[in-house]
Amino acid sequence: MKIRVGQGYDVHRWVEGRPCILGGVEIPSEKGPLGHSDADVVCHVLCDALLGAANMRNIGYHFSDKDPMWKGVASTLLLKKVMEMIREAGWELANADVTVILDQPKLNPIIPAIKDNLALVMGVEVDQISVKATTSEGLGFVGRAEGISAMAVALIQKE
């Protein structure tokens, strides 16, 4: 059996009046992340972690922010396409671990819904996806409520 690990990291600026979508779930918030797509950092880091593990470059290579086709797209669609790509190459997800870094809004009550949605989109079991949130303790761009960041690792395997 072959196994590979990949990592993903993403940052988006907060803006007023934009929805906050994380893992395909809309989170109640006065601000949302700015981006070419829906700026879902959870889906973006998972895409990059999976693509990196499969040695398939990154999300920007496959879904360029210069391409109007991807303008405003739901990042769950990108994640679904990435899962199709790695499966076509013979890989399956063993597990993924996501950390979202933000001071507000608080995510703990919503994490089960995010995990359920990610498992559905990715075609995996809920226990293969870990999602957690942490704060920046008021430091940096996250602490100043200027943006949100996330990171992920994904372990993929093939026979």
Side-chain angles (χ1 to χ4, degrees):
M1 175 183 295
K2 289 184 174 182
I3 60 170
R4 289 187 182 167
V5 66
Q7 67 174 352
Y9 177 74
D10 196 27
V11 173
H12 284 277
R13 178 179 297 126
W14 283 124
V15 294
E16 297 282 340
R18 190 159 154 107
C20 180
I21 299 170
L22 299 175
V25 176
E26 188 162 349
I27 310 301
S29 178
E30 293 177 11
K31 295 179 179 179
L34 179 64
H36 184 70
S37 65
D38 63 4
D40 182 334
V41 296
V42 170
C43 287
H44 292 183
V45 296
L46 281 168
C47 285
D48 270 348
L50 291 161
L51 290 167
N55 195 19
M56 294 180 171
R57 307 216 28 188
N58 66 14
I59 190 172
Y61 178 79
H62 294 282
F63 312 106
S64 172
D65 63 3
K66 307 292 186 256
D67 187 341
M69 177 179 178
W70 306 116
K71 177 80 172 148
V73 72
S75 296
T76 51
L77 176 65
L78 306 180
L79 181 57
K80 186 174 183 172
K81 287 185 176 293
V82 166
M83 288 299 295
E84 290 169 2
M85 291 166 58
I86 69 161
R87 285 187 173 122
E88 285 172 12
W91 295 100
E92 280 296 332
L93 178 71
N95 74 296
D97 183 26
V98 178
T99 303
V100 182
I101 304 107
L102 76 168
D103 287 9
Q104 291 294 327
K106 297 298 183 194
L107 294 187
N108 278 333
I110 302 163
I111 285 175
I114 293 171
K115 288 178 56 169
D116 288 344
N117 195 58
L118 288 171
L120 181 66
V121 168
M122 298 171 76
V124 299
E125 299 296 320
V126 173
D127 70 354
Q128 290 175 266
I129 309 289
S130 170
V131 176
K132 50 200 185 303
T134 190
T135 70
S136 66
E137 299 293 330
L139 299 174
F141 71 91
V142 171
R144 292 188 302 270
E146 295 171 2
I148 181 173
S149 66
M151 55 187 143
V153 292
L155 183 69
I156 59 174
Q157 60 190 11
K158 75 162 83 167
E159 294 300 321

